[in-house]
Structure formats: C-alpha cells, structure tokens
Amino acid sequence: MLTRAEFLGGATLFTGMLLSPLARAQSDELSVIQGAEKVLRDLRKDKAFGNAQQLLRRARGVMIVPNLLKGGFFVGGEGGEGIILARGREGWGQPAFYVIGAASFGLQIGAEAAEVILFFMTEKGLNGVLNNDFKIGAQAGITVVTLGSNVEGALSGPNVPDIVAWSSASGLYGGLTVDGSVIRAEPNKDSTFYGRHVTSKEVLFGPVSSTRTGTLRRELAGLT
C-alpha cells in the first residue's frame, strides 16, 4: 500500500506530466510576444526605420512577425508566427496570434530570416486582414505598398494605402513583397495564452487582458 507521501508525490508527478504540454505551449506564445518586443526596440534605435514611426502614429493596427523564416513553412514556403494589435479609443489593445506564409517573400539574397511589420493604415485594411485566411492581393480594393522612399508621398496624397510592409534581414532594410501571402488567425494560441476560450476578435477588441503583455504595449505606445 502506498504511503501518503508516495501518493502525493505520484500525484504531483502525474499533474506535472499533464500540465507540461500547456506550459510549453504558453512558453511558445510568450516567446512570440517577447520577440515582438525586441522588434519594437530595434525599430526605436535604428535610423533605417525611417518614417515608419509616423506610420505607427496613424495606423489602425499592426502585425509584428519577429522571425519570418525561409523554407519549411506553409508546405515548404516562407512564413512565421506573429501578433496583431488594433488601436482603440483607449490606445493599443491586446495582441492576438496570427501566422503569415507565402511561396516566397523575396527576401534579400542569402537571407534566411527577417523581422517583418505590417502597418494597417485604414479600417478597410485592418478589417480585411481579420477575415479568415486573408490573402494579400486577392481582395479587391485593398492597396499594399512597401516601406521606402515612395511611402511618404503616398501617405500625403489623397489615397492612403491600406497596408504598408516593412522588413529587415541580414542587416538590410526595406520593403517586402507580400502579394500572395496568406494571414491566418490562431485562436487556439489565443485561448492557451489568455487561459480561456476566446476568439481573435475578442482579443483585439474585447475585454481581454494579460499582465504578460504590458511591456509590449508600452513599447508600442512609446513609438506612437
């Protein structure tokens, strides 16, 4: 017969075995959050970011992909995990988890990974990307440009682009061709991270909160 100590020890081990997959999953989501924080810190100190801070001040939402990888994603294509945040009346909301993938993003020669930010400059652009399996370039009426010398003029003109793309890879900065890429919500990751069943839109616009996102949101607020 098991002693009380042996029973409690076995129960603790069994509980740990059950919880370990959840703990690992939460760690994965947290690593994406922390990666996004690093991207924002990089942008704050790097002059190559150019006028993107101006974009952030005007953006309705933003997608941050800390590590867009070349190969082995979306069936041999390119892509990575990221987060989307939407701006509300009281500032930036909570991050929802998304993935982006494509056959090719046109990374610089020799680059295997890149940091990527998509600025959603209009409500139309933000609402479009929140549709299931949004494919950039397939939705009529949503314009996409890459961050570069042409963007400042585009923002001051009568027709503001709906989405602006920025990337850095191997120390080189500039635009990223995102036409044809697919953006997909990851509600299971949202539910794991926030500890209850939630939809992506509930995270972005609803009463969802987490103490683990404070640094990210402060970094973003500091740039805007």
Side-chain angles (χ1 to χ4, degrees):
M1 180 178 294
L2 292 175
T3 66
R4 176 181 174 82
E6 289 172 335
F7 174 80
L8 292 176
T12 300
L13 178 61
F14 180 68
T15 302
M17 292 173 63
L18 290 177
L19 292 180
S20 58
L22 177 60
R24 287 196 298 270
Q26 289 178 332
S27 177
D28 290 343
E29 277 84 65
L30 187 58
S31 68
V32 175
I33 297 290
Q34 293 170 341
E37 294 170 5
K38 178 184 179 301
V39 173
L40 293 176
R41 288 194 296 270
D42 290 345
L43 301 187
R44 180 188 294 275
K45 66 185 181 182
D46 202 314
K47 293 181 180 179
F49 192 42
N51 67 333
Q53 193 161 339
Q54 175 190 353
L55 297 179
L56 275 173
R57 294 193 184 104
R58 299 176 56 179
R60 303 306 307 154
V62 62
M63 181 175 189
I64 307 172
V65 182
N67 199 20
L68 185 141
L69 298 173
K70 185 173 183 178
F73 198 86
F74 272 34
V75 193
E78 299 174 2
E81 295 180 318
I83 53 173
I84 288 180
L85 298 94
R87 191 202 301 270
R89 293 180 180 179
E90 299 181 0
W92 292 98
Q94 295 292 334
F97 292 91
Y98 281 75
V99 294
I100 183 170
S104 175
F105 283 105
L107 292 178
Q108 289 91 342
I109 295 175
E112 298 296 328
E115 296 177 343
V116 174
I117 295 186
L118 300 181
F119 304 92
F120 306 120
M121 304 307 300
T122 65
E123 290 290 339
K124 181 170 63 175
L126 176 61
N127 291 335
V129 82
L130 297 183
N131 292 328
N132 290 335
D133 287 353
F134 172 82
K135 187 173 183 179
I136 296 179
Q139 278 70 16
I142 293 182
T143 57
V144 183
V145 300
T146 56
L147 180 57
S149 59
N150 64 321
V151 171
E152 189 169 353
L155 289 175
S156 60
N159 300 315
V160 176
D162 298 303
I163 301 174
V164 178
W166 177 92
S167 69
S168 71
S170 300
L172 301 174
Y173 298 80
L176 184 75
T177 302
V178 294
D179 282 348
S181 60
V182 174
I183 297 176
R184 178 184 302 162
E186 295 279 84
N188 290 338
K189 290 182 178 292
D190 293 330
S191 298
T192 298
F193 184 77
Y194 292 103
R196 62 185 178 89
H197 177 72
V198 290
T199 66
S200 301
K201 290 187 177 180
E202 285 174 338
V203 173
L204 293 168
F205 305 109
V208 177
S209 63
S210 172
T211 58
R212 295 178 293 176
T213 64
T215 301
L216 170 72
R217 296 169 70 211
R218 284 193 296 271
E219 289 284 353
L220 190 54
L223 285 164
T224 57

